[in-house]
Amino acid sequence: MPLFSVVTTAKKEESKVVEETFQNWELAKEVFEKKSGKKVEFIIVDAGNNPRFPKLKDSFLINQKIYEDYRKLLYSLGQIKYKSWDCPSIGRNLGFKYCKGSIVIFQDIDTLFSTGTEADFNYINPNLDVYKNYFEVMYKAFKSKKIVGASPSARACDSKKITRRIAIMGENYTVWLSTKIPTLKINKIFVGGPSIPGFSVAVLKEVSSKIYQKNGFLFDPELAIAEDHKFSRTLGEYGKVSYEKEAGVFTRTTKRVAPRFDLLRSLLYAAKWAIPYFYPDFFKYRKHVLSV
């Protein structure tokens, strides 16, 4: 049985992006497995309009038909109100059903893992950033700490500019701070607690199963905005969530923040995200249109 299950959902992805991602994931996996003897599996949900997926060892592809049938089921059960509604939450929930690992990682398909090798230098400045193998760090964290979930540290993989690095460090600080705050609700609406961006979050399968059985989902299928923050706050109700600084992920930032005036645009992006961040339930059936 695998130790880790990595769940990703893909829709309208570029073949170059998917190929780079899978090459990185395979390297991170091989380094970890060789050192630890533990296994990693990948669950890929095809949500449609994707290129032919490159080969990825120890992976299972959930095809588009299964995805569409699951989406129809959610509509028939009343978990989503519109037949045409589509969002990453649906794919993540579906992928979770196929996981065998005791630790589940929900990872965006355009986000890379730190491998703990020189390959990481393609995305970071080795004089400024020190990352170890993502899986190794997370394994040690769940083994030695009483936690139910963990967030990695993030860097941009599409720009090594110091301004872009500083901007994403601001997000890292916000995530770290949020893990120090207990989950807070006002009138049953989440307004505070662990708030981990959806490009990467690691959780205990046992705890996630309890959340799924209680709510019928992990990520709210009615949300395409801030569904990740709602999920991680729900997770915080079941135990401690940690921030693992040495577990790195390299994510594409230019889709969210245009490459000029990095710091200013990042501040504007944070301002636009403030209300969905604190009140995700107010943004049901809204698409992600918060880029700057």
Side-chain angles (χ1 to χ4, degrees):
M1 296 294 287
L3 172 66
F4 287 104
S5 293
V6 179
V7 176
T8 192
T9 180
K11 189 178 184 68
K12 297 181 180 179
E13 296 295 339
E14 298 178 12
S15 56
K16 183 179 179 181
V17 169
V18 176
E19 186 173 350
E20 181 186 13
T21 300
F22 284 4
Q23 288 176 351
N24 165 270
W25 288 8
E26 200 155 280
L27 176 59
K29 168 185 179 292
E30 288 175 355
V31 171
F32 172 70
E33 290 183 342
K34 185 176 181 180
K35 189 172 183 178
S36 68
K38 307 294 183 181
K39 296 293 183 181
V40 179
E41 69 168 359
F42 299 99
I43 310 296
I44 306 157
V45 181
D46 183 356
N49 300 112
N50 294 295
R52 183 176 179 180
F53 291 102
K55 290 183 179 179
L56 182 64
K57 293 179 181 178
D58 299 309
S59 65
F60 178 73
L61 177 65
I62 300 172
N63 64 42
Q64 187 179 356
K65 183 181 184 305
I66 296 175
Y67 175 82
E68 293 297 342
D69 288 345
Y70 179 65
R71 199 154 64 100
K72 291 176 183 177
L73 176 64
L74 294 180
Y75 175 74
S76 67
L77 294 174
Q79 289 194 339
I80 57 175
K81 294 181 180 179
Y82 309 104
K83 285 184 178 180
S84 60
W85 176 246
D86 198 10
C87 65
S89 297
I90 295 173
R92 291 170 183 158
N93 292 332
L94 174 60
F96 177 72
K97 290 174 171 284
Y98 291 80
C99 291
K100 298 177 182 177
S102 56
I103 301 172
V104 181
I105 299 167
F106 294 99
Q107 184 92 350
D108 280 358
I109 202 164
D110 64 354
T111 299
L112 314 179
F113 292 113
S114 58
T115 64
T117 71
E118 291 184 356
D120 297 344
F121 299 166
N122 292 323
Y123 312 105
I124 61 174
N125 186 330
N127 296 319
L128 297 174
D129 300 306
V130 178
Y131 286 122
K132 297 180 180 178
N133 182 278
Y134 178 102
F135 297 110
E136 180 182 355
V137 175
M138 288 301 186
Y139 173 49
K140 290 180 178 178
F142 280 97
K143 187 177 180 181
S144 62
K145 302 176 182 178
K146 294 182 179 179
I147 58 175
V148 298
S151 169
S153 168
R155 289 290 183 270
C157 76
D158 43 25
S159 173
K160 295 174 75 171
K161 290 171 58 180
I162 191 67
T163 49
R164 183 56 60 98
R165 179 181 181 276
I166 292 172
I168 205 166
M169 283 177 65
E171 180 176 54
N172 286 337
Y173 177 76
T174 302
V175 175
W176 169 81
L177 183 62
S178 76
T179 62
K180 308 298 180 183
I181 302 171
T183 293
L184 176 64
K185 283 182 177 180
I186 296 178
N187 294 327
K188 297 182 179 181
I189 296 175
F190 290 108
V191 296
S195 298
I196 304 173
F199 48 70
S200 184
V201 57
V203 299
L204 280 179
K205 172 77 177 296
E206 180 182 5
V207 174
S208 300
S209 296
K210 292 179 181 178
I211 297 173
Y212 201 106
Q213 290 170 6
K214 180 181 179 181
N215 300 325
F217 54 79
L218 293 178
F219 294 86
D220 191 334
E222 296 182 299
L223 294 176
I225 301 175
E227 78 291 342
D228 41 8
H229 299 301
K230 182 176 180 179
F231 167 63
S232 52
R233 290 170 194 169
T234 302
L235 191 64
E237 293 183 303
Y238 289 79
K240 181 177 175 57
V241 177
S242 71
Y243 174 77
E244 300 301 326
K245 184 178 180 180
E246 293 183 325
V249 291
F250 313 131
T251 188
R252 285 171 171 77
T253 58
T254 54
K255 290 197 300 185
R256 302 177 181 88
V257 181
R260 298 182 62 191
F261 307 107
D262 293 325
L263 294 178
L264 177 59
R265 287 180 183 273
S266 295
L267 288 172
L268 290 173
Y269 180 73
K272 290 181 73 173
W273 259 101
I275 296 178
Y277 179 87
F278 286 108
Y279 308 106
D281 281 306
F282 292 172
F283 290 81
K284 293 187 175 184
Y285 301 107
R286 297 194 193 183
K287 291 293 184 180
H288 192 295
V289 291
L290 299 175
S291 299
V292 176

